[in-house]
Amino acid sequence: MNTNGPATHVTAAEHFATVTRRRFLRGLGACMALPALETLRPLTLVAAQPGKTVAAVAPRRMAFLYFPNGALQQNWWPKGEGKDFTFNRTMEPLESIRHKLQVIGGLDHRHATAGPDGAGDHARANGTFLTGVRVKKTAGGDIRAGVSIDQLVAQQVGHLTRFPSLELSCDAVRKSGNCDSGYSCAYQFNLAWRNPTTPVAPEPNPRLVFERLFGAGPAGQRREHLKMRQQQQRSILDFVLDDAQTLQRQLTARDKEKLDQYLTSVREIEKRIASAERFGAPPDPGADTPAGIPASFQDHMRIMFEMLALAFQTDSTRVATLLLAHDGSNRSFPDIGIPEGHHNLSHHMNREDMMEKIGKIDNWYMQQFAWFLNKLEQTRDLDGKSLLDNSMIVYGCGNSDGNRHTHSNLPIILAGGGGGTLQTGRYLKLDGVPMSNMLLGLAGRMGAKSVTQFGDSTGILDAI
């Protein structure tokens, strides 16, 4: 169909056939999803009326990014309120993108507090973040949390994409053992919960994420295809090149440019993953580094951000979680002159030297987040807007003040326009509102209208 000519009626069957034929590039042992292209028609269309063109409607996406150990309060919260605010030290990297986000204060997770359970704030911070429930204090096999909001949304909209949801991590993956004062490691190392007793383990290896997004064939054959490509020293793009060239001849000028940028991005990621596999991490007698995980924490994080952006760009999924590091993480940051562990520093007891280092770590994490947001902002979506315009990206932690282990007034940033449904460019001050209320508001915007009660919610927060 010609997008420049008069609109014609499109049956569901005709539209489905067009999309399924052309949304993938195929080659020997490889299958590669395409970005949204006008020429191939969107997955969602506004019904054509006589004399009107068919309008592209881009889908909404939702992602949750978790950083550890709370935030240095005096460096986190902006000055001012509403549209009239100034970023504090921690959020300075977001200045160029401030019009596409909102800082939200006054959100609480009361079930992360000690209550009758005593110590274990890091495990509760992680386990409650997307579930809103009090997790069961146990280090055994009888773990119990709640269904996380991302999985509730995936249950209702996941059938529209290849993957109902995508779970990523820049940390280790642990499903058992005692990690925090009698709490199972399952709580700290997982954000997504399929049901109250089953967390959805995230993938930390960029190579495996890449193969999941662009691999071909059933699971039993994918490993052999990967070995074949490695042996032949050819990339996925090499295998699908003929199909890509054929497709290029059918596209409009704008779609050709978009496809070229997308393929170039995929090639660059392939090179970075291959480089990581070739050089690996510095010698560590304690453990082997899995193939594909860069030695640099920043490189690891940014590759995972790129994987997430590609998954959204190709409409492979619309729901995702990314655990940057588990709460209680004691990672050091020698690249920015901080050899001490993050968790140890977070208990600064108001010592100026330790607080200065925590401030640098908070700012470093924010720099990576800003990098990701700018990448989404620079990527055009089907409707001509940016991926960020059509996304809802929550960046936050289940701990507020890492020094005191508090869980009220959580450090939360909501970035993206949500397809025009979110009020951006402001600092929203709330007062003692359950974070579950905000999560319900996001779920509704994703189309999960039937989810009206969640965790400790007292209503749906529409003020976002």
Side-chain angles (χ1 to χ4, degrees):
M1 290 164 32
N2 184 356
T3 57
N4 299 319
T8 58
H9 177 67
V10 184
T11 68
E14 289 170 337
H15 172 58
F16 179 78
T18 300
V19 170
T20 53
R21 250 196 335 263
R22 295 184 175 174
R23 285 187 64 223
F24 299 92
L25 296 176
R26 300 184 183 277
L28 178 62
C31 176
M32 182 172 164
L34 288 169
L37 300 172
E38 296 169 352
T39 311
L40 305 188
R41 291 300 187 189
L43 288 175
T44 306
L45 300 177
V46 173
Q49 301 295 327
K52 296 183 179 180
T53 58
V54 179
V57 179
R60 293 174 190 162
R61 294 92 169 181
M62 179 176 72
F64 299 94
L65 316 180
Y66 192 96
F67 70 89
N69 303 329
L72 191 65
Q73 297 294 290
Q74 58 266 43
N75 285 12
W76 176 271
W77 297 109
K79 301 171 184 177
E81 191 174 355
K83 296 282 187 178
D84 185 18
F85 74 94
T86 303
F87 281 134
N88 212 324
R89 290 175 60 185
T90 296
M91 296 189 202
E92 286 177 350
L94 298 175
E95 185 61 42
S96 66
I97 202 81
R98 62 177 284 152
H99 59 295
K100 293 293 180 76
L101 58 84
Q102 53 187 314
V103 182
I104 304 180
L107 294 176
D108 303 344
H109 260 326
R110 63 183 178 89
H111 284 318
T113 59
D117 295 321
D121 286 275
H122 294 297
R124 289 192 298 267
N126 260 118
T128 303
F129 191 65
L130 295 184
T131 67
V133 304
R134 178 170 293 277
V135 300
K136 180 180 181 180
K137 189 166 189 177
T138 178
D142 56 338
I143 58 173
R144 187 170 188 86
V147 183
S148 55
I149 195 69
D150 60 300
Q151 293 303 296
L152 285 174
V153 172
Q155 289 170 13
Q156 298 203 22
V157 305
H159 65 284
L160 300 172
T161 56
R162 286 194 297 149
F163 306 111
S165 62
L166 188 64
E167 294 74 36
L168 306 175
S169 176
C170 296
D171 210 333
V173 176
R174 300 184 65 177
K175 302 178 182 179
S176 60
N178 181 359
C179 276
D180 185 15
S181 306
Y183 282 96
S184 171
C185 300
Y187 299 125
Q188 272 173 276
F189 288 85
N190 298 279
L191 288 178
W193 288 75
R194 182 169 292 113
N195 59 54
T197 60
T198 309
V200 185
E203 177 54 62
N205 192 324
R207 163 63 72 185
L208 298 183
V209 178
F210 189 86
E211 289 297 319
R212 185 182 180 196
L213 291 175
F214 302 115
Q221 299 176 18
R222 188 170 297 139
R223 180 171 296 180
E224 293 303 316
H225 293 158
L226 170 59
K227 289 180 180 178
M228 180 174 62
R229 287 196 297 276
Q230 290 177 331
Q231 290 170 358
Q232 297 179 357
Q233 294 295 300
R234 293 176 63 190
S235 76
I236 283 178
L237 292 185
D238 293 329
F239 280 93
V240 301
L241 188 59
D242 288 343
D243 204 10
Q245 290 174 342
T246 299
L247 178 62
Q248 284 272 16
R249 292 193 289 269
Q250 305 172 31
L251 301 179
T252 63
R254 191 160 80 168
D255 275 349
K256 286 180 181 179
E257 180 180 1
K258 184 184 294 185
L259 181 60
D260 183 65
Q261 291 174 345
Y262 168 68
L263 296 179
T264 299
S265 176
V266 173
R267 178 79 77 185
E268 287 302 313
I269 293 173
E270 280 193 320
K271 290 179 180 178
R272 292 176 62 188
I273 292 176
S275 176
E277 291 175 332
R278 184 163 56 252
F279 295 107
D284 181 356
D288 294 329
T289 300
I293 298 182
S296 163
F297 186 38
Q298 176 174 291
D299 287 347
H300 189 187
M301 194 178 297
R302 291 193 175 185
I303 289 180
M304 296 308 263
F305 278 145
E306 289 180 303
M307 294 292 100
L308 179 51
L310 280 176
F312 280 172
Q313 185 182 6
T314 58
D315 204 29
S316 295
T317 192
R318 299 175 186 176
V319 181
T321 56
L322 173 52
L323 181 67
L324 302 177
H326 70 280
D327 220 271
S329 169
N330 207 33
R331 178 186 293 275
S332 62
F333 293 81
D335 290 349
I336 56 174
I338 301 177
E340 299 94 336
H342 187 185
H343 175 241
N344 291 344
L345 288 171
S346 70
H347 292 284
H348 50 72
M349 297 173 290
N350 296 320
R351 284 180 46 182
E352 289 294 333
D353 59 331
M354 296 176 71
M355 292 169 66
E356 182 65 25
K357 291 177 179 178
I358 280 293
K360 287 184 178 180
I361 293 174
D362 289 350
N363 182 267
W364 182 89
Y365 271 105
M366 194 64 69
Q367 290 175 41
Q368 314 318 310
F369 180 51
W371 184 90
F372 175 55
L373 293 185
N374 277 288
K375 183 172 186 61
L376 294 181
E377 175 65 9
Q378 293 161 11
T379 304
R380 294 300 97 189
D381 207 346
L382 184 64
D383 56 1
K385 299 178 181 178
S386 71
L387 279 182
L388 186 59
D389 287 326
N390 295 318
S391 297
M392 300 180 290
I393 312 294
V394 175
Y395 175 87
C397 180
N399 255 322
S400 302
D401 183 346
N403 184 47
R404 298 184 297 122
H405 286 174
T406 57
H407 307 281
S408 59
N409 198 27
L410 295 171
I412 301 293
I413 297 173
L414 175 56
T421 68
L422 297 179
Q423 304 177 51
T424 57
R426 64 174 183 160
Y427 172 24
L428 175 62
K429 286 186 178 181
L430 304 172
D431 185 16
V433 175
M435 183 170 166
S436 297
N437 290 14
M438 184 194 76
L439 298 179
L440 274 179
L442 299 180
R445 286 167 171 80
M446 286 294 297
K449 300 291 186 181
S450 64
V451 183
T452 57
Q453 177 65 38
F454 175 75
D456 62 344
S457 66
T458 58
I460 298 175
L461 180 62
D462 286 324
I464 52 177

mmCIF file with all atom_site columns, all heavy atoms in Angstrom, residues 25-27 234 236-247 263 267:
data_model
loop_
_atom_site.group_PDB
_atom_site.id
_atom_site.type_symbol
_atom_site.label_atom_id
_atom_site.label_alt_id
_atom_site.label_comp_id
_atom_site.label_asym_id
_atom_site.label_entity_id
_atom_site.label_seq_id
_atom_site.pdbx_PDB_ins_code
_atom_site.Cartn_x
_atom_site.Cartn_y
_atom_site.Cartn_z
_atom_site.occupancy
_atom_site.B_iso_or_equiv
_atom_site.pdbx_formal_charge
_atom_site.auth_seq_id
_atom_site.auth_comp_id
_atom_site.auth_asym_id
_atom_site.auth_atom_id
_atom_site.pdbx_PDB_model_num
ATOM 1   N N   . LEU A 1 25  ? 13.904 -9.794  8.913  1.00 0.00 ? 25  LEU A N   1
ATOM 2   C CA  . LEU A 1 25  ? 14.869 -10.137 7.875  1.00 0.00 ? 25  LEU A CA  1
ATOM 3   C C   . LEU A 1 25  ? 15.361 -11.540 8.179  1.00 0.00 ? 25  LEU A C   1
ATOM 4   O O   . LEU A 1 25  ? 15.650 -11.871 9.327  1.00 0.00 ? 25  LEU A O   1
ATOM 5   C CB  . LEU A 1 25  ? 16.054 -9.157  7.895  1.00 0.00 ? 25  LEU A CB  1
ATOM 6   C CG  . LEU A 1 25  ? 15.732 -7.693  7.582  1.00 0.00 ? 25  LEU A CG  1
ATOM 7   C CD1 . LEU A 1 25  ? 16.990 -6.847  7.730  1.00 0.00 ? 25  LEU A CD1 1
ATOM 8   C CD2 . LEU A 1 25  ? 15.164 -7.549  6.180  1.00 0.00 ? 25  LEU A CD2 1
ATOM 9   N N   . ARG A 1 26  ? 15.466 -12.362 7.145  1.00 0.00 ? 26  ARG A N   1
ATOM 10  C CA  . ARG A 1 26  ? 15.822 -13.757 7.378  1.00 0.00 ? 26  ARG A CA  1
ATOM 11  C C   . ARG A 1 26  ? 17.038 -14.151 6.549  1.00 0.00 ? 26  ARG A C   1
ATOM 12  O O   . ARG A 1 26  ? 17.268 -13.652 5.460  1.00 0.00 ? 26  ARG A O   1
ATOM 13  C CB  . ARG A 1 26  ? 14.651 -14.689 7.028  1.00 0.00 ? 26  ARG A CB  1
ATOM 14  C CG  . ARG A 1 26  ? 13.406 -14.402 7.857  1.00 0.00 ? 26  ARG A CG  1
ATOM 15  C CD  . ARG A 1 26  ? 12.292 -15.390 7.571  1.00 0.00 ? 26  ARG A CD  1
ATOM 16  N NE  . ARG A 1 26  ? 11.096 -15.059 8.313  1.00 0.00 ? 26  ARG A NE  1
ATOM 17  C CZ  . ARG A 1 26  ? 10.878 -15.399 9.582  1.00 0.00 ? 26  ARG A CZ  1
ATOM 18  N NH1 . ARG A 1 26  ? 11.776 -16.097 10.227 1.00 0.00 ? 26  ARG A NH1 1
ATOM 19  N NH2 . ARG A 1 26  ? 9.755  -15.058 10.193 1.00 0.00 ? 26  ARG A NH2 1
ATOM 20  N N   . GLY A 1 27  ? 17.805 -15.069 7.121  1.00 0.00 ? 27  GLY A N   1
ATOM 21  C CA  . GLY A 1 27  ? 18.948 -15.641 6.435  1.00 0.00 ? 27  GLY A CA  1
ATOM 22  C C   . GLY A 1 27  ? 19.246 -16.988 7.049  1.00 0.00 ? 27  GLY A C   1
ATOM 23  O O   . GLY A 1 27  ? 18.551 -17.440 7.958  1.00 0.00 ? 27  GLY A O   1
ATOM 24  N N   . ARG A 1 234 ? 31.137 -14.632 10.820 1.00 0.00 ? 234 ARG A N   1
ATOM 25  C CA  . ARG A 1 234 ? 30.170 -13.762 10.168 1.00 0.00 ? 234 ARG A CA  1
ATOM 26  C C   . ARG A 1 234 ? 29.124 -13.329 11.177 1.00 0.00 ? 234 ARG A C   1
ATOM 27  O O   . ARG A 1 234 ? 28.776 -14.060 12.096 1.00 0.00 ? 234 ARG A O   1
ATOM 28  C CB  . ARG A 1 234 ? 29.483 -14.498 9.007  1.00 0.00 ? 234 ARG A CB  1
ATOM 29  C CG  . ARG A 1 234 ? 30.412 -14.828 7.848  1.00 0.00 ? 234 ARG A CG  1
ATOM 30  C CD  . ARG A 1 234 ? 29.668 -15.629 6.790  1.00 0.00 ? 234 ARG A CD  1
ATOM 31  N NE  . ARG A 1 234 ? 28.567 -14.861 6.207  1.00 0.00 ? 234 ARG A NE  1
ATOM 32  C CZ  . ARG A 1 234 ? 27.657 -15.402 5.406  1.00 0.00 ? 234 ARG A CZ  1
ATOM 33  N NH1 . ARG A 1 234 ? 27.709 -16.688 5.121  1.00 0.00 ? 234 ARG A NH1 1
ATOM 34  N NH2 . ARG A 1 234 ? 26.700 -14.652 4.900  1.00 0.00 ? 234 ARG A NH2 1
ATOM 35  N N   . ILE A 1 236 ? 25.245 -11.682 12.304 1.00 0.00 ? 236 ILE A N   1
ATOM 36  C CA  . ILE A 1 236 ? 23.843 -11.858 11.926 1.00 0.00 ? 236 ILE A CA  1
ATOM 37  C C   . ILE A 1 236 ? 23.516 -11.004 10.716 1.00 0.00 ? 236 ILE A C   1
ATOM 38  O O   . ILE A 1 236 ? 22.793 -11.423 9.805  1.00 0.00 ? 236 ILE A O   1
ATOM 39  C CB  . ILE A 1 236 ? 22.932 -11.506 13.116 1.00 0.00 ? 236 ILE A CB  1
ATOM 40  C CG1 . ILE A 1 236 ? 22.941 -12.653 14.125 1.00 0.00 ? 236 ILE A CG1 1
ATOM 41  C CG2 . ILE A 1 236 ? 21.510 -11.219 12.669 1.00 0.00 ? 236 ILE A CG2 1
ATOM 42  C CD1 . ILE A 1 236 ? 22.117 -12.397 15.356 1.00 0.00 ? 236 ILE A CD1 1
ATOM 43  N N   . LEU A 1 237 ? 24.067 -9.802  10.665 1.00 0.00 ? 237 LEU A N   1
ATOM 44  C CA  . LEU A 1 237 ? 23.778 -8.918  9.534  1.00 0.00 ? 237 LEU A CA  1
ATOM 45  C C   . LEU A 1 237 ? 24.257 -9.513  8.217  1.00 0.00 ? 237 LEU A C   1
ATOM 46  O O   . LEU A 1 237 ? 23.631 -9.330  7.175  1.00 0.00 ? 237 LEU A O   1
ATOM 47  C CB  . LEU A 1 237 ? 24.426 -7.549  9.754  1.00 0.00 ? 237 LEU A CB  1
ATOM 48  C CG  . LEU A 1 237 ? 23.847 -6.707  10.892 1.00 0.00 ? 237 LEU A CG  1
ATOM 49  C CD1 . LEU A 1 237 ? 24.496 -5.329  10.900 1.00 0.00 ? 237 LEU A CD1 1
ATOM 50  C CD2 . LEU A 1 237 ? 22.343 -6.559  10.755 1.00 0.00 ? 237 LEU A CD2 1
ATOM 51  N N   . ASP A 1 238 ? 25.382 -10.219 8.253  1.00 0.00 ? 238 ASP A N   1
ATOM 52  C CA  . ASP A 1 238 ? 25.878 -10.847 7.023  1.00 0.00 ? 238 ASP A CA  1
ATOM 53  C C   . ASP A 1 238 ? 24.888 -11.893 6.504  1.00 0.00 ? 238 ASP A C   1
ATOM 54  O O   . ASP A 1 238 ? 24.692 -12.034 5.300  1.00 0.00 ? 238 ASP A O   1
ATOM 55  C CB  . ASP A 1 238 ? 27.238 -11.509 7.270  1.00 0.00 ? 238 ASP A CB  1
ATOM 56  C CG  . ASP A 1 238 ? 28.329 -10.489 7.560  1.00 0.00 ? 238 ASP A CG  1
ATOM 57  O OD1 . ASP A 1 238 ? 28.239 -9.371  7.020  1.00 0.00 ? 238 ASP A OD1 1
ATOM 58  O OD2 . ASP A 1 238 ? 29.243 -10.799 8.329  1.00 0.00 ? 238 ASP A OD2 1
ATOM 59  N N   . PHE A 1 239 ? 24.268 -12.613 7.419  1.00 0.00 ? 239 PHE A N   1
ATOM 60  C CA  . PHE A 1 239 ? 23.341 -13.665 7.015  1.00 0.00 ? 239 PHE A CA  1
ATOM 61  C C   . PHE A 1 239 ? 22.038 -13.114 6.450  1.00 0.00 ? 239 PHE A C   1
ATOM 62  O O   . PHE A 1 239 ? 21.394 -13.756 5.632  1.00 0.00 ? 239 PHE A O   1
ATOM 63  C CB  . PHE A 1 239 ? 23.051 -14.599 8.198  1.00 0.00 ? 239 PHE A CB  1
ATOM 64  C CG  . PHE A 1 239 ? 24.136 -15.613 8.435  1.00 0.00 ? 239 PHE A CG  1
ATOM 65  C CD1 . PHE A 1 239 ? 25.161 -15.347 9.328  1.00 0.00 ? 239 PHE A CD1 1
ATOM 66  C CD2 . PHE A 1 239 ? 24.141 -16.816 7.757  1.00 0.00 ? 239 PHE A CD2 1
ATOM 67  C CE1 . PHE A 1 239 ? 26.163 -16.276 9.544  1.00 0.00 ? 239 PHE A CE1 1
ATOM 68  C CE2 . PHE A 1 239 ? 25.135 -17.753 7.963  1.00 0.00 ? 239 PHE A CE2 1
ATOM 69  C CZ  . PHE A 1 239 ? 26.159 -17.479 8.861  1.00 0.00 ? 239 PHE A CZ  1
ATOM 70  N N   . VAL A 1 240 ? 21.635 -11.937 6.903  1.00 0.00 ? 240 VAL A N   1
ATOM 71  C CA  . VAL A 1 240 ? 20.356 -11.388 6.441  1.00 0.00 ? 240 VAL A CA  1
ATOM 72  C C   . VAL A 1 240 ? 20.561 -10.285 5.402  1.00 0.00 ? 240 VAL A C   1
ATOM 73  O O   . VAL A 1 240 ? 19.610 -9.605  5.016  1.00 0.00 ? 240 VAL A O   1
ATOM 74  C CB  . VAL A 1 240 ? 19.537 -10.824 7.627  1.00 0.00 ? 240 VAL A CB  1
ATOM 75  C CG1 . VAL A 1 240 ? 19.259 -11.911 8.645  1.00 0.00 ? 240 VAL A CG1 1
ATOM 76  C CG2 . VAL A 1 240 ? 20.234 -9.642  8.278  1.00 0.00 ? 240 VAL A CG2 1
ATOM 77  N N   . LEU A 1 241 ? 21.785 -10.093 4.923  1.00 0.00 ? 241 LEU A N   1
ATOM 78  C CA  . LEU A 1 241 ? 22.101 -8.971  4.040  1.00 0.00 ? 241 LEU A CA  1
ATOM 79  C C   . LEU A 1 241 ? 21.290 -9.000  2.749  1.00 0.00 ? 241 LEU A C   1
ATOM 80  O O   . LEU A 1 241 ? 20.783 -7.968  2.293  1.00 0.00 ? 241 LEU A O   1
ATOM 81  C CB  . LEU A 1 241 ? 23.604 -8.962  3.717  1.00 0.00 ? 241 LEU A CB  1
ATOM 82  C CG  . LEU A 1 241 ? 24.118 -7.741  2.954  1.00 0.00 ? 241 LEU A CG  1
ATOM 83  C CD1 . LEU A 1 241 ? 23.832 -6.470  3.733  1.00 0.00 ? 241 LEU A CD1 1
ATOM 84  C CD2 . LEU A 1 241 ? 25.607 -7.863  2.682  1.00 0.00 ? 241 LEU A CD2 1
ATOM 85  N N   . ASP A 1 242 ? 21.162 -10.174 2.142  1.00 0.00 ? 242 ASP A N   1
ATOM 86  C CA  . ASP A 1 242 ? 20.409 -10.254 0.882  1.00 0.00 ? 242 ASP A CA  1
ATOM 87  C C   . ASP A 1 242 ? 18.962 -9.817  1.082  1.00 0.00 ? 242 ASP A C   1
ATOM 88  O O   . ASP A 1 242 ? 18.407 -9.068  0.268  1.00 0.00 ? 242 ASP A O   1
ATOM 89  C CB  . ASP A 1 242 ? 20.454 -11.687 0.332  1.00 0.00 ? 242 ASP A CB  1
ATOM 90  C CG  . ASP A 1 242 ? 21.826 -12.048 -0.211 1.00 0.00 ? 242 ASP A CG  1
ATOM 91  O OD1 . ASP A 1 242 ? 22.620 -11.120 -0.452 1.00 0.00 ? 242 ASP A OD1 1
ATOM 92  O OD2 . ASP A 1 242 ? 22.096 -13.249 -0.369 1.00 0.00 ? 242 ASP A OD2 1
ATOM 93  N N   . ASP A 1 243 ? 18.354 -10.289 2.162  1.00 0.00 ? 243 ASP A N   1
ATOM 94  C CA  . ASP A 1 243 ? 16.975 -9.909  2.436  1.00 0.00 ? 243 ASP A CA  1
ATOM 95  C C   . ASP A 1 243 ? 16.874 -8.411  2.707  1.00 0.00 ? 243 ASP A C   1
ATOM 96  O O   . ASP A 1 243 ? 15.918 -7.746  2.289  1.00 0.00 ? 243 ASP A O   1
ATOM 97  C CB  . ASP A 1 243 ? 16.460 -10.702 3.641  1.00 0.00 ? 243 ASP A CB  1
ATOM 98  C CG  . ASP A 1 243 ? 14.940 -10.819 3.657  1.00 0.00 ? 243 ASP A CG  1
ATOM 99  O OD1 . ASP A 1 243 ? 14.313 -10.462 2.648  1.00 0.00 ? 243 ASP A OD1 1
ATOM 100 O OD2 . ASP A 1 243 ? 14.390 -11.266 4.676  1.00 0.00 ? 243 ASP A OD2 1
ATOM 101 N N   . ALA A 1 244 ? 17.869 -7.869  3.395  1.00 0.00 ? 244 ALA A N   1
ATOM 102 C CA  . ALA A 1 244 ? 17.871 -6.434  3.697  1.00 0.00 ? 244 ALA A CA  1
ATOM 103 C C   . ALA A 1 244 ? 17.977 -5.605  2.425  1.00 0.00 ? 244 ALA A C   1
ATOM 104 O O   . ALA A 1 244 ? 17.301 -4.582  2.272  1.00 0.00 ? 244 ALA A O   1
ATOM 105 C CB  . ALA A 1 244 ? 19.017 -6.102  4.643  1.00 0.00 ? 244 ALA A CB  1
ATOM 106 N N   . GLN A 1 245 ? 18.818 -6.029  1.506  1.00 0.00 ? 245 GLN A N   1
ATOM 107 C CA  . GLN A 1 245 ? 18.986 -5.286  0.250  1.00 0.00 ? 245 GLN A CA  1
ATOM 108 C C   . GLN A 1 245 ? 17.704 -5.319  -0.575 1.00 0.00 ? 245 GLN A C   1
ATOM 109 O O   . GLN A 1 245 ? 17.338 -4.329  -1.220 1.00 0.00 ? 245 GLN A O   1
ATOM 110 C CB  . GLN A 1 245 ? 20.162 -5.871  -0.532 1.00 0.00 ? 245 GLN A CB  1
ATOM 111 C CG  . GLN A 1 245 ? 21.516 -5.593  0.115  1.00 0.00 ? 245 GLN A CG  1
ATOM 112 C CD  . GLN A 1 245 ? 22.662 -6.294  -0.589 1.00 0.00 ? 245 GLN A CD  1
ATOM 113 O OE1 . GLN A 1 245 ? 22.444 -7.252  -1.358 1.00 0.00 ? 245 GLN A OE1 1
ATOM 114 N NE2 . GLN A 1 245 ? 23.887 -5.835  -0.359 1.00 0.00 ? 245 GLN A NE2 1
ATOM 115 N N   . THR A 1 246 ? 17.026 -6.463  -0.583 1.00 0.00 ? 246 THR A N   1
ATOM 116 C CA  . THR A 1 246 ? 15.754 -6.561  -1.296 1.00 0.00 ? 246 THR A CA  1
ATOM 117 C C   . THR A 1 246 ? 14.730 -5.624  -0.679 1.00 0.00 ? 246 THR A C   1
ATOM 118 O O   . THR A 1 246 ? 13.994 -4.924  -1.380 1.00 0.00 ? 246 THR A O   1
ATOM 119 C CB  . THR A 1 246 ? 15.234 -8.010  -1.251 1.00 0.00 ? 246 THR A CB  1
ATOM 120 O OG1 . THR A 1 246 ? 16.189 -8.866  -1.894 1.00 0.00 ? 246 THR A OG1 1
ATOM 121 C CG2 . THR A 1 246 ? 13.894 -8.124  -1.968 1.00 0.00 ? 246 THR A CG2 1
ATOM 122 N N   . LEU A 1 247 ? 14.691 -5.601  0.638  1.00 0.00 ? 247 LEU A N   1
ATOM 123 C CA  . LEU A 1 247 ? 13.743 -4.743  1.332  1.00 0.00 ? 247 LEU A CA  1
ATOM 124 C C   . LEU A 1 247 ? 14.027 -3.264  1.078  1.00 0.00 ? 247 LEU A C   1
ATOM 125 O O   . LEU A 1 247 ? 13.114 -2.464  0.884  1.00 0.00 ? 247 LEU A O   1
ATOM 126 C CB  . LEU A 1 247 ? 13.774 -5.032  2.837  1.00 0.00 ? 247 LEU A CB  1
ATOM 127 C CG  . LEU A 1 247 ? 12.859 -4.176  3.713  1.00 0.00 ? 247 LEU A CG  1
ATOM 128 C CD1 . LEU A 1 247 ? 11.399 -4.385  3.332  1.00 0.00 ? 247 LEU A CD1 1
ATOM 129 C CD2 . LEU A 1 247 ? 13.069 -4.508  5.182  1.00 0.00 ? 247 LEU A CD2 1
ATOM 130 N N   . LEU A 1 263 ? 20.434 -0.880  11.263 1.00 0.00 ? 263 LEU A N   1
ATOM 131 C CA  . LEU A 1 263 ? 21.413 -1.922  10.954 1.00 0.00 ? 263 LEU A CA  1
ATOM 132 C C   . LEU A 1 263 ? 22.804 -1.527  11.421 1.00 0.00 ? 263 LEU A C   1
ATOM 133 O O   . LEU A 1 263 ? 23.580 -2.361  11.890 1.00 0.00 ? 263 LEU A O   1
ATOM 134 C CB  . LEU A 1 263 ? 21.409 -2.207  9.451  1.00 0.00 ? 263 LEU A CB  1
ATOM 135 C CG  . LEU A 1 263 ? 20.112 -2.773  8.868  1.00 0.00 ? 263 LEU A CG  1
ATOM 136 C CD1 . LEU A 1 263 ? 20.232 -2.985  7.362  1.00 0.00 ? 263 LEU A CD1 1
ATOM 137 C CD2 . LEU A 1 263 ? 19.720 -4.071  9.557  1.00 0.00 ? 263 LEU A CD2 1
ATOM 138 N N   . ARG A 1 267 ? 25.138 -3.565  14.093 1.00 0.00 ? 267 ARG A N   1
ATOM 139 C CA  . ARG A 1 267 ? 26.533 -3.921  13.780 1.00 0.00 ? 267 ARG A CA  1
ATOM 140 C C   . ARG A 1 267 ? 27.477 -3.453  14.877 1.00 0.00 ? 267 ARG A C   1
ATOM 141 O O   . ARG A 1 267 ? 28.383 -4.186  15.291 1.00 0.00 ? 267 ARG A O   1
ATOM 142 C CB  . ARG A 1 267 ? 26.933 -3.296  12.436 1.00 0.00 ? 267 ARG A CB  1
ATOM 143 C CG  . ARG A 1 267 ? 28.375 -3.556  12.027 1.00 0.00 ? 267 ARG A CG  1
ATOM 144 C CD  . ARG A 1 267 ? 28.567 -4.943  11.440 1.00 0.00 ? 267 ARG A CD  1
ATOM 145 N NE  . ARG A 1 267 ? 28.090 -4.997  10.070 1.00 0.00 ? 267 ARG A NE  1
ATOM 146 C CZ  . ARG A 1 267 ? 28.052 -6.106  9.335  1.00 0.00 ? 267 ARG A CZ  1
ATOM 147 N NH1 . ARG A 1 267 ? 28.447 -7.245  9.869  1.00 0.00 ? 267 ARG A NH1 1
ATOM 148 N NH2 . ARG A 1 267 ? 27.598 -6.086  8.090  1.00 0.00 ? 267 ARG A NH2 1
#
